[in-house]
Amino acid sequence: MMAPNPTMTYPANGSPEPVGGDRIAIPGGGPVPMVLAEAVHKSFGHLEVLKGIDMAVMPGQVAVLLGPSGSGKTTFLRCINHLEKINGGRLSVDGVLVGYRQRGEKLYELRDREVAERRRHIGMVFQQFNLFPHMTAIGNIMEAQVQVLRRSRSDARAKGMALLERVGLADRATYYPSQLSGGQQQRVAIARALAMDPKLMLFDEPTSALDPEMVGEVLDAMRDLANAGMTMVVVTHEIGFAREVADTLTFMDAGQVVETGDPREVIANPQHRRTQDFLSKVL
């Protein structure tokens, strides 16, 4: 397996340069991207899934990743919080390297405990809801707060109830997952992620497992997050959401970024033939 290689200094074009430890510095003191991918590669055995992804998401932005199945979108999302280990390049979140510490020209993987500490600042919502079936909605939201953040149960409960109110489910606090619809379970999953006070939210096709009539309630909760200034990276095929809410749209295919830009412009006037072909089938 190829070891991750640090990105070298490129002062002429404003690329970040490695600094000691695990942070990056932006030449000229410019704003630090919330997510910065630099020539990110990822392989599973002989299959190269990501082939040098470059991407920047600034604080407060909503970035949508669009593309066909197998294009690498979900793998890239999982690399952002080190659920998958990259094989080359660098990834940072809020100026801190993801999963690695740099010493000179080499990157060294962090211990599991250090990775977990950094990962808790990144919320992730999956296709499947992954709620604990034996816990109520409020119990699901309280668990990680108590176990990971060491909040008191009373504080965790108060936080959880406020978040259930935010996603429109305060009256379902004592319901078990089996008593909730798919859309309601996904909104509980969103509230659970928010309970950890993340600086970044990742969404992996959060509506793909839902019946069509339940999609809207989840997208509404995500719109509210965007309006509140949450930085979000969203893998989705919901073109309307991308057009209305996203700040950037990136089309990926075969492990590469094909086209990126303003969502309304990319959707209305895609420049690359592959983007044109894809959008012609989903619009």
Side-chain angles (χ1 to χ4, degrees):
M1 179 180 294
M2 179 175 58
N5 297 314
T7 300
M8 303 306 292
T9 304
Y10 298 103
N13 62 14
S15 295
E17 47 189 74
V19 296
D22 47 16
R23 296 194 64 85
I24 62 171
I26 305 298
V32 176
M34 181 60 71
V35 178
L36 181 62
E38 307 166 84
V40 170
H41 288 260
K42 173 64 183 177
S43 297
F44 294 102
H46 297 294
L47 178 63
E48 190 176 15
V49 179
L50 300 178
K51 304 173 183 177
I53 301 296
D54 292 308
M55 189 180 301
V57 181
M58 302 308 295
Q61 285 191 330
V62 177
V64 163
L65 306 183
L66 190 66
S69 297
S71 60
K73 308 182 304 297
T74 292
T75 296
F76 177 66
L77 205 68
R78 291 171 64 84
C79 286
I80 292 175
N81 65 357
H82 207 60
L83 288 176
E84 298 290 352
K85 301 175 184 179
I86 64 175
N87 301 116
R90 294 197 313 173
L91 261 171
S92 61
V93 171
D94 198 20
V96 178
L97 293 176
V98 174
Y100 297 93
R101 175 168 291 118
Q102 187 165 336
R103 291 289 183 263
E105 299 302 317
K106 294 183 179 180
L107 296 183
Y108 298 90
E109 189 169 6
L110 297 174
R111 293 188 294 270
D112 289 346
R113 188 173 183 178
E114 294 172 294
V115 172
E117 171 62 24
R118 294 185 184 182
R119 187 181 289 145
R120 79 174 183 84
H121 299 291
I122 306 172
M124 187 161 184
V125 177
F126 300 86
Q127 296 179 36
Q128 302 300 326
F129 322 123
N130 296 330
L131 299 178
F132 295 117
H134 63 289
M135 292 184 179
T136 61
I138 187 63
N140 267 279
I141 298 171
M142 290 173 59
E143 182 68 9
Q145 295 186 70
V146 173
Q147 299 299 328
V148 179
L149 300 185
R150 303 300 182 188
R151 284 182 180 147
S152 68
R153 295 192 65 82
S154 60
D155 286 348
R157 185 176 187 85
K159 178 83 170 181
M161 288 304 301
L163 288 168
L164 283 174
E165 178 74 31
R166 183 174 180 179
V167 298
L169 290 174
D171 61 340
R172 297 292 191 271
T174 59
Y175 284 45
Y176 288 89
S178 62
Q179 299 172 303
L180 300 172
S181 69
Q184 290 170 337
Q185 289 185 62
Q186 193 63 293
R187 282 186 282 159
V188 172
I190 292 172
R192 179 177 60 180
L194 291 173
M196 303 301 286
D197 298 325
K199 61 181 71 173
L200 169 68
M201 286 286 289
L202 309 176
F203 292 86
D204 183 16
E205 299 195 37
T207 60
S208 65
L210 301 179
D211 292 334
E213 64 268 24
M214 299 177 185
V215 170
E217 61 193 54
V218 173
L219 294 181
D220 285 345
M222 293 170 64
R223 285 188 183 92
D224 288 343
L225 283 182
N227 291 336
M230 175 63 72
T231 310
M232 300 158 60
V233 182
V234 184
V235 172
T236 184
H237 287 187
E238 298 292 341
I239 302 298
F241 176 86
R243 183 190 292 114
E244 298 164 20
V245 180
D247 297 289
T248 63
L249 186 152
T250 297
F251 179 74
M252 293 178 61
D253 187 39
Q256 297 178 305
V257 171
V258 175
E259 186 169 348
T260 189
D262 179 272
R264 289 150 291 280
E265 180 61 26
V266 173
I267 292 169
N269 187 32
Q271 298 300 300
H272 196 281
R273 179 62 180 271
R274 184 67 186 91
T275 317
Q276 295 169 7
D277 290 344
F278 179 84
L279 288 174
S280 71
K281 294 178 174 65
V282 299
L283 289 176

